[in-house]
Amino acid sequence: VTSYKPISLTGFKFILLFTSVFVIFIVIIFGVWLSRLVTTPILKLRDAADRIGKGQLDTIIEVKTSDEIEELADSFKEMVSTIKEKQKEILAEKTYAEGILANMIDTLIVVDPDGKIKTVNKATLDLLGYTERELIGQAVGMLFAEEEEEEELLFKGTRLRKLIEQGSVQNFDM
């Protein structure tokens, strides 16, 4: 025969305290696990977005969560694929346009709004006897004879502003 011994109030408090601490510990562990379950894929997406934003289009996005986060990762992958395709198209168009400009028989000088030379074609270099390196970044006015009045100059003052508004100069004697 075994005797039943009642739990003292002190023993009951100990069991209650131990159970409470154990439950709190389990809740904390579950919370940390759940937090990592959600934040880890989001952090991966954030890091991938940062790399893609810096132009690293070969970034691999590996998120397997079978939820909206994975759908978002798939959208990122599609976006990167589209960017790569558009980049190839733009590069092909740029190469085509550069080929046309380089092989034009007419001279071409492209200047920025400050009157600095940004681009010249081969015909311009052949006609003027400069190298591209000598012209790029220089004031376009260096190519033309100076006139008496500042406002009379084609590539300075009000005439430069008018030129920028019109976009081009043709058959202008200087």
Side-chain angles (χ1 to χ4, degrees), residues 21 26 58-59 61 79 85 112 116-117 129 134-135 139 144-146 157 162 164 168 170:
V21 168
I26 294 299
D58 292 331
T59 299
I61 304 169
M79 177 186 69
E85 289 173 23
D112 66 14
K116 302 283 185 200
I117 299 172
E134 291 173 313
L135 292 177
F144 301 96
E146 294 186 25
K162 187 174 179 184
I164 291 169
S168 66
Q170 296 178 5

Side-chain angles (χ1 to χ4, degrees), residues 15-29:
I15 291 174
L16 185 61
L17 179 65
F18 178 77
T19 305
S20 298
V21 168
F22 181 74
V23 169
I24 291 171
F25 180 73
I26 294 299
V27 167
I28 289 172
I29 289 178

Side-chain angles (χ1 to χ4, degrees), residues 18-168:
F18 178 77
T19 305
S20 298
V21 168
F22 181 74
V23 169
I24 291 171
F25 180 73
I26 294 299
V27 167
I28 289 172
I29 289 178
F30 180 73
V32 168
W33 173 79
L34 187 60
S35 173
R36 285 195 176 168
L37 186 67
V38 172
T39 59
T40 299
I42 291 174
L43 291 174
K44 285 182 179 180
L45 279 176
R46 184 198 66 195
D47 293 341
D50 286 344
R51 289 191 306 274
I52 291 166
K54 292 176 183 170
Q56 299 172 9
L57 297 181
D58 292 331
T59 299
I60 297 172
I61 304 169
E62 288 297 326
V63 175
K64 301 290 182 201
T65 58
S66 302
D67 61 8
E68 294 84 0
I69 296 173
E70 186 173 346
E71 289 177 20
L72 183 60
D74 291 341
S75 295
F76 268 84
K77 291 174 189 175
E78 288 178 33
M79 177 186 69
V80 168
S81 176
T82 302
I83 290 171
K84 284 180 179 180
E85 289 173 23
K86 295 298 178 186
Q87 218 176 26
K88 286 179 186 175
E89 290 174 16
I90 290 170
L91 183 60
E93 290 174 11
K94 179 181 181 255
T95 302
Y96 179 74
E98 285 174 346
I100 291 173
L101 295 177
N103 293 300
M104 286 176 42
I105 59 171
D106 291 327
T107 59
L108 174 72
I109 302 171
V110 178
V111 297
D112 66 14
D114 296 324
K116 302 283 185 200
I117 299 172
K118 300 303 284 181
T119 305
V120 293
N121 67 350
K122 185 175 179 339
T124 302
L125 299 175
D126 291 344
L127 175 70
L128 300 177
Y130 288 102
T131 66
E132 187 174 13
R133 176 179 248 171
E134 291 173 313
L135 292 177
I136 301 299
Q138 298 297 320
V140 73
M142 73 172 268
L143 299 175
F144 301 96
E146 294 186 25
E147 297 180 15
E148 297 291 322
E149 299 288 324
E150 177 79 13
E151 287 300 312
E152 298 279 324
L153 292 174
L154 177 62
F155 298 105
K156 291 195 178 176
T158 55
R159 284 205 178 171
L160 177 61
R161 285 191 292 278
K162 187 174 179 184
L163 171 62
I164 291 169
E165 289 171 8
Q166 291 176 345
S168 66

